[in-house]
């Protein structure tokens, strides 16, 4: 059966079609947050087969396969790459109304020109065709990005990273795509596990050649790494948090807590949260000094299935939406930074749709007129980066703030085939605005609304993030 992905997919009114085809469709992509491995860009990796580029590491697909009763052998186990793909082909028809159904067929068509619906019957043929194309020079890593008109990629990198691959991409002019690092230091203050914390600090010492014997040493090292990242094009940080913590300075002493962990003593929950809070506040002040943007991904509760976590490890598909209290501590945290005029540009992503209006209104409190859209309610994230989630996020932002200032979509993905998610977002955005025009709720002003769409899909992000072109 032929695909349902037509030229007007998701565009349900005439004005939406105009906005998408004439204003959004051909815009470059600024993917300011993803988890792509920079070494695979630097080496222009050739994937041996479609399973390696499409199924490996994709916990969205893994969760769907488990729900259908597929044995783990065919998900993360010992089965061949082709057999794993055949099982994904068996699964795909059962993902109707899950975003995977849309993404799967968008990606097959956009990258491989395959306009068939993936099924158990044709999975073998599609595997062979796509795998054959991946061996061609047009389907190596960099061309896969270039054919989607990607202009900027910001990878997610830890303080221990050397950034050697980012340097190679720049120095050897591997591609015209700008590939920048983004600073993700969460493990450097993850003191809930003292053994893992100090193991990480040893890696940080190896990277820098400097000992970390005290809390002040840790802060000095992190400041140095921020300087190093900045010199190599970094303009964004990122943090994955259940919720924001806030404690006034002096409730505990971070130097004493550091020593306590070093001696093998466990911290109390209150001490853990204090250490995280004060360290993150320090980092945020460093970001402000550099003119960076800070990103906070809020609301995930991770590693929920202990049995399978033990077998398969983290990031294997056992995370979900959490129901944490967000407003009060986020307010106090932002206020602490704002009180000394050290609040950097901020993007707050929310994972619990019940908190959309909470986050949208809270970040809006800290817009101070110093620039357009300083405080951003980030796009639908993780479980919410689908049609319903995107619409709810944009509706909350529209009702509580200014959609016109929004910096738009990102992939947040580990897959080089994920960039049609920008197309997916753009179609949903255009349909949302087009429906308002059809309903008589907005004027049919193509020039102005076309500009709004262009800004959200491209220009706002380009102006906001201050990429080091």
């Amino acid at each position: 059966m032929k695909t349902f992905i037509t030229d007007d997919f998701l565009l349900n009114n005439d004005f939406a079609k105009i906005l998408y085809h004439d204003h959004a469709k051909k815009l470059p992509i600024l993917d300011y947050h993803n988890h792509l491995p920079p070494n695979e860009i630097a080496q222009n990796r050739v994937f041996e087969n479609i399973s390696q580029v499409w199924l490996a590491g994709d916990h969205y697909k893994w969760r769907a396969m488990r729900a259908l009763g597929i044995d783990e052998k065919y998900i993360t186990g010992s089965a061949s790459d082709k057999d794993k793909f055949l099982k994904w082909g068996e699964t795909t028809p059962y993902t109707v109304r899950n975003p995977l159904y849309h993404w799967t067929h968008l990606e097959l068509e956009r990258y491989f020109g395959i306009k068939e619906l993936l099924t158990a019957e044709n999975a073998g043929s599609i595997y062979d065709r796509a795998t054959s194309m991946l061996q061609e020079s047009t389907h190596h890593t960099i061309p896969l990005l270039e054919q989607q008109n990607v202009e900027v990629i910001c990878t997610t990198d830890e303080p221990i990273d050397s950034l050697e691959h980012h340097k190679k991409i720049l120095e050897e002019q591997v591609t015209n795509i700008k590939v920048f690092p983004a600073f993700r230091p969460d493990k450097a203050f993850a003191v809930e596990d003292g053994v893992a914390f100090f193991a990480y600090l040893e890696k940080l010492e190896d990277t820098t050649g400097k000992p970390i014997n005290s809390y002040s040493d840790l802060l000095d090292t992190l400041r140095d790494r921020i300087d190093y990242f900045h010199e190599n094009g970094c303009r964004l940080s990122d943090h994955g948090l259940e919720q924001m913590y806030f404690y006034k300075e002096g409730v505990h002493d971070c130097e004493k807590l550091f020593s306590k962990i070093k001696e093998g003593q466990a911290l109390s929950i209150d001490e853990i949260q204090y250490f995280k809070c004060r360290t993150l506040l320090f980092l945020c002040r460093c970001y402000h000094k550099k003119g960076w943007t800070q990103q906070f991904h809020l609301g995930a509760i991770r590693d929920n299935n202990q049995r399978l976590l033990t077998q398969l490890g983290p990031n294997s598909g056992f995370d979900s939406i959490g129901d944490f209290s967000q407003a009060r501590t986020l307010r106090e945290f932002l206020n602490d930074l704002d009180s000394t005029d050290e609040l950097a540009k901020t993007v707050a992503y929310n994972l619990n749709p019940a908190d959309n209006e909470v986050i949208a209104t809270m970040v809006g409190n800290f817009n101070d007129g110093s620039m357009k859209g300083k405080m951003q309610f980030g796009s639908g994230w993780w479980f919410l980066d689908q049609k319903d989630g995107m619409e709810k996020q944009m509706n909350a932002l529209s009702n509580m703030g200014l959609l016109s200032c929004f910096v738009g979509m990102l992939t947040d993905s580990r897959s080089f085939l994920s960039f049609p998610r920008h197309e997916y977002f753009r179609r949903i955005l255009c349909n949302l605005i087009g429906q308002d025009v059809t309903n008589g709720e907005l004027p049919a002003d193509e020039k102005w609304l076309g500009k709004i769409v262009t800004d959200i899909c491209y220009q706002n992000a380009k102006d906001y993030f201050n990429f080091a072109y």
Side-chain angles (χ1 to χ4, degrees), residues 183-234:
F183 190 66
R184 179 74 175 256
D186 294 0
K187 291 181 182 178
F189 52 93
V191 292
E192 59 270 26
D193 184 336
V195 174
F197 172 67
F198 272 97
Y200 189 81
L201 295 195
E202 288 180 4
K203 294 179 182 179
L204 196 50
E205 289 176 330
D206 291 341
T207 297
T208 63
K210 296 180 180 179
I212 303 175
N213 295 319
S214 65
Y215 182 66
S216 60
D217 286 346
L218 173 60
L219 298 188
D220 287 343
T221 298
L222 290 174
R223 186 191 295 111
D224 289 346
R225 296 311 289 167
I226 289 171
D227 290 342
Y228 179 77
F229 270 60
H230 190 85
E231 291 166 4
N232 285 280
C234 179

Side-chain angles (χ1 to χ4, degrees), residues 37-54 56 81 134-145 174 414 416:
N39 63 303
E40 294 184 0
I41 302 174
Q43 69 192 31
N44 196 21
R45 178 180 174 181
V46 182
F47 290 94
E48 292 181 14
N49 56 64
I50 188 174
S51 293
Q52 290 188 6
V53 68
W54 214 34
D81 285 345
L134 285 168
Q135 310 316 302
E136 299 172 4
S137 61
T138 55
H139 283 69
H140 298 176
T141 298
I142 291 174
L144 286 174
L145 298 171
V174 172
R414 292 168 173 80
F416 285 93

Side-chain angles (χ1 to χ4, degrees), residues 155-260:
T155 59
T156 302
D157 310 278
E158 298 181 25
I160 61 173
D161 291 331
S162 68
L163 306 184
E164 61 184 293
H165 304 295
H166 296 84
K167 292 179 180 180
K168 178 180 179 179
I169 292 166
L170 178 63
E171 293 169 0
E172 299 183 11
Q173 298 182 330
V174 172
T175 174
N176 290 327
I177 299 169
K178 304 301 181 183
V179 183
F180 300 121
F183 190 66
R184 179 74 175 256
D186 294 0
K187 291 181 182 178
F189 52 93
V191 292
E192 59 270 26
D193 184 336
V195 174
F197 172 67
F198 272 97
Y200 189 81
L201 295 195
E202 288 180 4
K203 294 179 182 179
L204 196 50
E205 289 176 330
D206 291 341
T207 297
T208 63
K210 296 180 180 179
I212 303 175
N213 295 319
S214 65
Y215 182 66
S216 60
D217 286 346
L218 173 60
L219 298 188
D220 287 343
T221 298
L222 290 174
R223 186 191 295 111
D224 289 346
R225 296 311 289 167
I226 289 171
D227 290 342
Y228 179 77
F229 270 60
H230 190 85
E231 291 166 4
N232 285 280
C234 179
R235 297 297 182 268
L236 293 93
S237 67
D238 179 56
H239 299 275
L241 308 164
E242 291 182 347
Q243 62 186 134
M244 198 65 74
Y245 304 120
F246 182 76
Y247 294 81
K248 290 185 178 181
E249 190 172 9
V251 174
H252 298 286
D253 184 328
C254 284
E255 287 288 1
K256 291 181 180 178
L257 296 179
F258 187 95
S259 297
K260 188 174 178 179

Side-chain angles (χ1 to χ4, degrees), residues 356-361 364 377 394-402:
N356 278 344
E357 286 76 11
V358 170
I359 301 299
T361 54
F377 175 31
M394 286 190 280
N395 283 331
L397 177 55
S398 299
N399 288 328
M400 309 299 168
L402 295 182

